[in-house]
Amino acid sequence: MKKSLLDYTLKIKLPLILFVAAVSFIFTFYVSRAERDGVGYQPEQPINYSHKLHAGDMGIDCQYCHTGVSKGRHALVPSLNICMNCHTVSRKNQPEIVKLTKYYEEGKMLPWKRVHKVPDYAYFNHSVHVNKGIDCESCHGNVRQMDVISQVKPFTMTACLDCHRNPQDQLWYLNDVKRGPENCAACHR
Amino acid sequence: MPKWAMVIDLDKCTGCGDCMAACKLENNIAIVSPEEANVGRVMFWMDMITTYEGEYPNIKVKRIPKPCFHCDNPPCTRVCPVYATYKNDEGLVGQIYHRCIGCRYCMVACPYTAKVFNWYEPKWPDEFKSCLNPDVSLRMVGVVEKCSFCAHRLIKVKENADMEEREIYDGEYSPACGESCPTNAIYFGDIDNKESQVYKLSQSSRSYREMENLGTEPKVIYLSKRE
């Protein structure tokens, strides 16, 4: 009797407990991923805007629309008049452009959903990074290939520090790159 | 590596309290109701110590502005159990609010009572909300905060200097209190640089540091002829 109880524990109970623990760990790991580091976050936007078409196929420079990126802290989402520079003429009859024109004529802003988020206690300045020659791709992934924008790299403190500590590994395309600051006050204030 | 220090000339200071107001606005410090302030929960990073001497017609008033002293040998960083307060290599003693657990050991350890605690969720009147400084993060309830020597201004100055590929010149980086002082009683700069104004003033015969016998080596230096 005693032996069979031990047998039951070792053969069935223990593997079952381990299996359930492993499955729940893996499940939580993937489900909470977007919450932890944002990877894979891909919200539905109010307009089917394609970065692949504009930035990839047509080769429009990022800074044509994201005007603030080399001047200040925020990259800035373009205001509608930048869209309308071209779209007053081109592809006026497409349904998505009609939607865009409607927003423009009503004088409203497009309610974009923000994809890349940094918490408010962390300071990040685009201009310093961009003006030192760091490519947008290093943090935002290959946007030129994305139809719907999504986050592909983690935006965690570890990710920031990885690059600040070993910039040569991450930014291999830059010849002369300084180490970023590592003290707390550089970002948290 | 520079070592930032402040010199406050008490002979020039009129005690107007402009530095307190500038600090409060610059750093998004919460406004506390009068009842709470009376029980010692008032929040100032730049405080004003007022002492009265003598009897009524012959009163001597002393007004002493008191920021965090950013000690070279800070007692507060030693006691923090979670490393939320730390001294960086430029001598600034910082506080990371979202790491702070609100145990208030550092407030007890600080001999200058430079730290304040958020007893409530910080609140501002509605008209005030558009005045909040986007460069400084808002604190939450239950964390300790203190003067940072306007470290966000240092980051800006450093970034500008880095872009233009030059060194930071003397007087470029100044906290809000120093910038707002109407009598220019507050000087700020690198005390390791022998050319800087702060170094020269710190060598003056009028200079003294608060509670020097404690060995905290504060980096705020007062100048005064009076005792």
Side-chain angles (χ1 to χ4, degrees), chain B residues 25-43:
Chain B
L25 282 173
E26 175 80 16
N27 293 301
N28 303 334
I29 303 171
I31 294 168
V32 180
S33 70
E35 298 83 50
E36 292 300 324
N38 282 339
V39 292
R41 292 175 180 182
V42 68
M43 293 179 78

Side-chain angles (χ1 to χ4, degrees), chain B:
Chain B
M1 195 58 81
K3 200 161 111 184
W4 304 107
M6 184 186 275
V7 171
I8 302 178
D9 192 335
L10 295 178
D11 296 337
K12 270 181 162 183
C13 174
T14 58
C16 65
D18 220 358
C19 45
M20 298 161 77
C23 175
K24 198 121 183 158
L25 282 173
E26 175 80 16
N27 293 301
N28 303 334
I29 303 171
I31 294 168
V32 180
S33 70
E35 298 83 50
E36 292 300 324
N38 282 339
V39 292
R41 292 175 180 182
V42 68
M43 293 179 78
F44 282 118
W45 286 8
M46 178 61 138
D47 208 347
M48 188 70 82
I49 308 280
T50 313
T51 55
Y52 300 97
E53 275 172 39
E55 294 264 319
Y56 164 58
N58 306 313
I59 293 179
K60 271 189 179 171
V61 184
K62 273 187 196 167
R63 296 269 277 166
I64 303 175
K66 181 189 67 96
C68 167
F69 287 153
H70 290 264
C71 311
D72 245 357
N73 184 14
C76 54
T77 58
R78 300 259 180 88
V79 297
C80 182
V82 292
Y83 300 104
T85 177
Y86 65 96
K87 195 187 115 189
N88 73 7
D89 41 9
E90 295 185 16
L92 298 180
V93 179
Q95 178 95 18
I96 316 169
Y97 311 116
H98 50 284
R99 185 174 257 195
C100 175
I101 55 170
C103 68
R104 284 171 281 155
Y105 276 161
C106 53
M107 288 173 74
V108 179
C110 178
Y112 308 107
T113 61
K115 297 201 161 193
V116 287
F117 184 67
N118 280 286
W119 286 93
Y120 302 98
E121 194 67 45
K123 274 185 200 142
W124 289 270
D126 277 345
E127 307 82 58
F128 238 82
K129 284 200 174 133
S130 51
C131 303
L132 293 177
N133 186 354
D135 289 340
V136 182
S137 61
L138 299 183
R139 276 76 62 180
M140 48 291 209
V141 61
V143 300
V144 175
E145 57 183 62
K146 71 170 201 62
C147 158
S148 60
F149 268 175
C150 289
H152 56 282
R153 290 186 169 217
L154 175 62
I155 300 173
K156 244 182 209 173
V157 164
K158 266 192 195 160
E159 282 172 355
N160 284 344
D162 201 28
M163 283 303 207
E164 291 161 24
E165 290 177 354
R166 58 175 171 83
E167 297 285 305
I168 300 170
Y169 56 82
D170 189 30
E172 188 179 6
Y173 163 39
S174 168
C177 51
E179 212 172 84
S180 72
C181 183
T183 56
N184 293 331
I186 298 176
Y187 303 89
F188 198 84
D190 176 11
I191 202 165
D192 273 357
N193 179 3
K194 299 264 149 77
E195 314 270 279
S196 74
Q197 200 175 15
V198 166
Y199 175 77
K200 285 172 194 158
L201 287 168
S202 71
Q203 301 300 309
S204 140
S205 59
R206 292 188 295 145
S207 74
Y208 76 94
R209 293 169 200 237
E210 204 65 57
M211 297 191 217
E212 226 160 344
N213 55 343
L214 296 177
T216 51
E217 297 168 41
K219 282 201 289 292
V220 174
I221 298 152
Y222 288 108
L223 302 179
S224 177
K225 263 187 187 165
R226 291 161 71 181
E227 268 302 296

Side-chain angles (χ1 to χ4, degrees), chain A residues 138-175:
Chain A
S138 298
C139 300
H140 294 289
N142 195 357
V143 172
R144 289 185 185 88
Q145 296 301 323
M146 287 182 205
D147 262 327
V148 181
I149 209 98
S150 77
Q151 189 172 333
V152 290
K153 300 220 172 173
F155 274 41
T156 55
M157 189 165 129
T158 326
C160 293
L161 278 176
D162 269 351
C163 200
H164 275 217
R165 285 187 179 137
N166 305 309
Q168 282 308 353
D169 298 351
Q170 314 275 338
L171 310 170
W172 41 268
Y173 48 86
L174 290 178
N175 300 324

Side-chain angles (χ1 to χ4, degrees), chain A residues 3-183:
Chain A
K3 199 185 168 192
S4 72
L5 185 70
L6 186 71
D7 229 33
Y8 171 75
T9 315
L10 281 179
K11 269 190 181 158
I12 299 170
K13 226 176 169 180
L14 195 68
L16 202 67
I17 290 172
L18 287 178
F19 177 74
V20 169
V23 166
S24 53
F25 176 79
I26 293 165
F27 182 74
T28 343
F29 182 85
Y30 282 104
V31 167
S32 68
R33 181 109 203 229
E35 201 119 311
R36 277 185 291 121
D37 52 19
V39 171
Y41 181 54
Q42 191 175 33
E44 208 172 297
Q45 302 288 1
I47 275 189
N48 286 334
Y49 172 82
S50 165
H51 275 88
K52 187 175 179 231
L53 176 67
H54 290 83
D57 300 349
M58 290 196 281
I60 300 174
D61 193 77
C62 308
Q63 293 195 35
Y64 181 78
C65 301
H66 300 288
T67 48
V69 80
S70 64
K71 296 177 195 113
R73 182 172 165 186
H74 301 288
L76 302 183
V77 173
S79 59
L80 283 183
N81 55 0
I82 294 181
C83 311
M84 298 313 280
N85 280 349
C86 302
H87 285 295
T88 38
V89 179
S90 74
R91 310 228 161 200
K92 263 175 22 185
N93 305 324
Q94 302 283 327
E96 293 297 309
I97 307 300
V98 172
K99 244 198 251 176
L100 176 80
T101 323
K102 208 177 147 211
Y103 274 109
Y104 177 71
E105 277 164 2
E106 284 171 6
K108 276 199 227 150
M109 193 62 208
L110 267 174
W112 293 113
K113 294 220 176 70
R114 188 170 178 171
V115 179
H116 299 94
K117 286 180 194 139
V118 174
D120 67 342
Y121 48 79
Y123 167 79
F124 175 81
N125 190 338
H126 271 98
S127 66
V128 187
H129 294 86
V130 169
N131 287 335
K132 291 280 167 200
I134 297 173
D135 204 58
C136 310
E137 232 170 88
S138 298
C139 300
H140 294 289
N142 195 357
V143 172
R144 289 185 185 88
Q145 296 301 323
M146 287 182 205
D147 262 327
V148 181
I149 209 98
S150 77
Q151 189 172 333
V152 290
K153 300 220 172 173
F155 274 41
T156 55
M157 189 165 129
T158 326
C160 293
L161 278 176
D162 269 351
C163 200
H164 275 217
R165 285 187 179 137
N166 305 309
Q168 282 308 353
D169 298 351
Q170 314 275 338
L171 310 170
W172 41 268
Y173 48 86
L174 290 178
N175 300 324
D176 173 38
V177 58
K178 272 197 297 184
R179 273 162 65 114
E182 279 168 47
N183 69 68

